[in-house]
């Protein structure tokens, strides 16, 4: 494993750009790579979870994605955003997990065809699950996460990247390899379905959906660093 300087001599990372950290990581600087992970952990975790619908599986996908990224740093193009490059890797890893489980991805046409029936179930389910107004606010984050998990697969992926992470239409299009028009259509429909279930409380819950606490962040970083091979 490459030598890393002691904490008292480590270069500052908090204010370093992604590009600077990447160049340092390419030279074998694990401290720089740790900074990259901590900076982008939440984005990658949310992306993976949108595909896998499991915290544990999402953590595993993020760890594997970072290990792949560490080995492929030389392939990173400086004219691209590091976050987009990392998200592409974690999306491929998460989709690979699905394929290995032989799960069937619901095509867009099937999702659209079943929308009317889903809308009816959605509204009924909301009436049965809605807590008292006062209690609802304290449970809103959990309800929001459950609602996102219920979205059709293609809609859920777009919504997590575009709605929760606020990535641009162009970035989502590049990451998922779908036309920008499709990104807009899926995001609009996903948002409409969520609004029908959550109404005015939707926007209040967005920023807190799928929290990424310090313990999970530290766990992912520690596990990845323990498995880095020398560059």
């Amino acid at each position: 494993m490459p030598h890393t300087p002691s904490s008292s001599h480590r270069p500052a990372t908090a204010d370093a750009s992604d590009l600077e950290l990447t160049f340092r990581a390419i030279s074998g600087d694990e401290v720089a790579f740790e900074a990259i992970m901590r900076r982008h952990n939440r984005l990658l975790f949310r992306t993976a979870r949108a595909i896998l619908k499991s915290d544990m599986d999402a953590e595993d996908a993020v760890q594997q994605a970072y290990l792949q990224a560490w080995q492929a740093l030389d392939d990173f193009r400086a004219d691209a955003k590091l976050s987009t490059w990392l998200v592409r890797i974690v999306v491929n890893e998460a989709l690979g997990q699905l394929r290995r489980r032989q799960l069937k991805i619901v095509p867009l046409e099937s999702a659209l065809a079943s929308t009317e029936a889903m809308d009816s179930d959605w509204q009924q389910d909301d009436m049965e699950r809605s807590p008292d107004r006062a209690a609802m606010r304290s449970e809103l984050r959990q309800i929001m996460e459950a609602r996102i998990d219920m979205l059709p697969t293609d809609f859920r992926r777009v919504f997590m990247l575009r709605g929760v992470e606020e990535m641009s239409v162009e970035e989502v299009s590049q990451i998922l390899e779908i036309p920008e028009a499709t990104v807009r259509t899926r995001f609009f429909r996903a948002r409409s379905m969520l609004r029908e279930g959550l109404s005015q409380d939707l926007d209040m819950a967005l920023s807190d959906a799928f929290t990424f606490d310090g313990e999970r962040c530290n766990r992912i970083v520690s596990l990845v660093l323990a498995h880095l091979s020398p560059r």
Side-chain angles (χ1 to χ4, degrees):
M1 185 167 290
H3 172 73
T4 56
S6 62
S7 58
S8 61
H9 297 288
R10 291 176 181 176
T13 58
D15 298 327
S17 67
D18 278 352
L19 188 58
E20 178 185 346
L21 291 174
T22 300
F23 286 147
R24 285 166 49 183
I26 289 174
S27 68
D29 186 343
E30 292 182 14
V31 175
F33 193 67
E34 177 179 349
I36 289 173
M37 288 191 285
R38 294 190 180 280
R39 184 173 294 179
H40 299 287
N41 257 345
R42 187 177 71 172
L43 170 60
L44 267 62
F45 174 78
R46 284 178 165 179
T47 301
R49 199 189 184 288
I51 296 173
L52 298 168
K53 299 173 65 175
S54 162
D55 286 1
M56 183 179 299
D57 292 341
E59 283 192 35
D60 181 65
V62 172
Q63 292 167 29
Q64 294 303 318
Y66 278 134
L67 291 173
Q68 293 173 32
W70 173 256
Q71 293 298 331
L73 280 172
D74 290 330
D75 298 329
F76 173 69
R77 296 176 56 187
D79 59 346
K81 291 181 64 174
L82 179 62
S83 58
T84 301
W85 184 71
L86 291 172
V87 169
R88 279 183 179 275
I89 295 175
V90 81
V91 165
N92 288 335
E93 175 60 29
L95 291 176
Q97 284 194 22
L98 287 183
R99 285 192 292 270
R100 289 191 288 274
R101 295 184 210 157
Q102 297 183 333
L103 293 182
K104 183 178 180 181
I105 306 298
V106 179
L108 175 61
E109 293 75 15
S110 298
L112 290 174
S114 62
T115 295
E116 184 174 351
M118 287 179 57
D119 288 348
S120 177
D121 293 340
W122 192 280
Q123 294 171 4
Q124 179 64 30
D125 184 57
D126 184 65
M127 287 188 293
E128 294 173 353
R129 292 180 50 183
S130 292
D132 196 298
R133 182 73 178 180
M136 180 180 178
R137 293 195 180 278
S138 65
E139 299 175 1
L140 193 54
R141 179 174 59 83
Q142 291 87 348
I143 294 174
M144 183 66 186
E145 292 177 355
R147 292 296 179 185
I148 293 175
D149 279 346
M150 290 170 64
L151 288 172
T153 300
D154 289 333
F155 294 167
R156 187 175 65 250
R157 294 172 187 169
V158 169
F159 184 80
M160 286 293 285
L161 294 176
R162 181 79 180 103
V164 179
E165 286 302 328
E166 299 182 342
M167 300 182 76
S168 69
V169 171
E170 181 180 4
E171 286 178 308
V172 177
S173 173
Q174 293 174 355
I175 289 167
L176 298 181
E177 299 181 335
I178 57 177
E180 292 184 14
T182 302
V183 172
R184 294 188 179 93
T185 299
R186 293 182 184 176
F187 175 67
F188 177 82
R189 188 62 194 131
R191 190 174 177 86
S192 296
M193 284 191 286
L194 286 171
R195 282 192 179 279
E196 288 168 15
L198 298 173
S199 187
Q200 62 183 352
D201 297 309
L202 172 65
D203 291 332
M204 297 170 58
L206 274 179
S207 62
D208 200 32
F210 299 113
T211 56
F212 193 90
D213 55 26
E215 181 181 354
R216 175 176 287 135
C217 181
N218 291 335
R219 179 167 60 248
I220 290 176
V221 169
S222 297
L223 289 171
V224 173
L225 290 176
H227 290 85
L228 290 184
S229 57
R231 288 193 54 78

